[in-house]
Structures are given as C-alpha cells and as structure tokens.
C-alpha cells in the first residue's frame, strides 16, 4: 500500500511580492506538494473517547507520511552529484491553535528524522514558513523543542 501525495512540478510563481504591492515577475519555477489532514476536526487527545484518540493518531501519522513523502520525492529529483533542492514547508491553518501547531511541528520533526535516516537531507535545504509573525514564533519554539531548528540564513 502506498500513500499518494499531490505534487506539481515546474509551476511558475504567480504570487505577490513580499510587501504585497505588486505581482511577482519571477521567471523561475517551483514544485508544490499538498500535505494536510483535518486536524481541527479531531478533538484534543485529553479526555477524548477511544475513537477520537484513534482518529487523532491516524491524522498525525498521515501528516508525517505526507511530509516525508514530499521530502523523499524532492530529494529523489535532486540526486545528482552536488545537487541541492530548496524546499519550503508552510502549514496552512484557517485558525491555528497551539495544539494544531504542536501536532504539525511534531509531524515535521518525525518526517525530518525519517528523511535523515534514509540520507535524503543531504539533497535538501528545508525551510519552514509561517503565515504570521505570531505563528512563526510558535513554530520556531516547537521545532526547537524537537531539536529541529537551525539558524536562519
């Protein structure tokens, strides 16, 4: 059985510039991977029913598998001597709460460890982005707790 991850390659960036004052006119292309589960649909583990606990753990496992699958795919694209691929991970949460961010940081951290065990990280430069400065601070603290935060360039 294989989990399939939605992946797009050679997509031209068509977003806004950093200050959101104009459209980006970049000429490069990027790859996009969609990874996600409905974390907000799963109630907190504390005091949840056995069914809720199971759904929560399955959601977390799926998220790890999707992040790892994305890392594996991107690393396999870069497997040329000296090749490195930059990869950005951006959690998309409608209304992020600390529990969702903690689950996402844990899933990313476990995926990093799996990718490291298989030698994929030598082909990847992974950066984690956040939708807001507040979310960025929370993600940094959570990833640091897992020992997965390097200095920013």
């Amino acid at each position: 059985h294989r989990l399939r991850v939605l992946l797009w390659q050679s997509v031209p960036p068509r977003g806004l510039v950093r200050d959101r004052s104009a459209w980006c006119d970049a000429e490069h292309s990027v790859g996009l991977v969609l990874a996600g589960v409905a974390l907000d649909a799963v109630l907190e583990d504390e005091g949840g029913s056995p069914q809720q606990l199971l759904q929560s753990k399955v959601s977390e496992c799926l998220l790890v598998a999707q992040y790892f699958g994305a890392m594996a795919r991107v690393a396999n694209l870069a497997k040329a001597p000296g090749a490195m691929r930059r990869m950005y991970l951006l959690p998309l949460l409608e209304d992020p709460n600390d529990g969702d961010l903690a689950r996402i940081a844990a899933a990313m951290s476990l995926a990093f460890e799996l990718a490291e065990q298989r030698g994929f990280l030598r082909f990847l430069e992974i950066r984690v982005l956040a939708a807001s400065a507040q979310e960025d601070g929370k993600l940094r603290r959570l990833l640091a707790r897992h020992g997965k935060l390097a200095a920013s360039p």
Side-chain angles (χ1 to χ4, degrees):
H1 178 71
R2 296 181 131 191
L3 178 70
R4 293 184 184 219
V5 178
L6 294 175
L7 173 81
W8 295 267
Q9 292 177 236
S10 303
V11 178
R14 294 293 181 247
L16 297 172
V17 296
R18 185 178 297 263
D19 67 1
R20 298 182 178 144
S21 63
W23 289 102
C24 174
D25 61 357
E27 297 294 326
H28 66 281
S29 64
V30 299
L32 299 173
V33 178
L34 178 62
V37 293
L39 289 172
D40 58 346
V42 179
L43 298 178
E44 292 295 320
D45 292 348
E46 301 288 328
S49 71
Q51 183 66 28
Q52 290 167 332
L53 292 172
L54 175 64
Q55 289 175 2
S56 177
K57 293 301 176 192
V58 168
S59 293
E60 291 168 10
C61 290
L62 285 171
L63 196 54
V64 170
Q66 290 177 51
Y67 279 129
F68 172 72
M71 290 175 198
R73 179 69 178 139
V74 173
N76 284 326
L77 292 171
K79 283 194 173 176
M84 286 285 287
R85 299 286 291 237
R86 184 175 295 162
M87 181 176 192
Y88 294 93
L89 303 179
L90 171 64
L92 298 175
L93 297 167
E94 186 175 324
D95 185 22
N97 63 53
D98 291 345
D100 289 345
L101 287 173
R103 285 186 177 117
I104 288 169
M108 285 180 181
S109 297
L110 186 51
F112 294 152
E113 290 173 20
L114 292 169
E116 185 174 37
Q117 289 173 2
R118 286 160 180 81
F120 295 146
L121 293 187
R122 63 189 163 165
F123 300 105
L124 300 173
E125 177 189 333
I126 301 174
R127 298 182 183 190
V128 178
L129 303 177
S132 68
Q134 181 182 11
E135 192 176 302
D136 180 67
K138 288 178 182 179
L139 270 173
R140 284 178 179 277
R141 283 189 296 278
L142 290 164
L143 290 168
R145 278 189 214 150
H146 290 282
K148 304 300 178 206
L149 184 66
S152 298

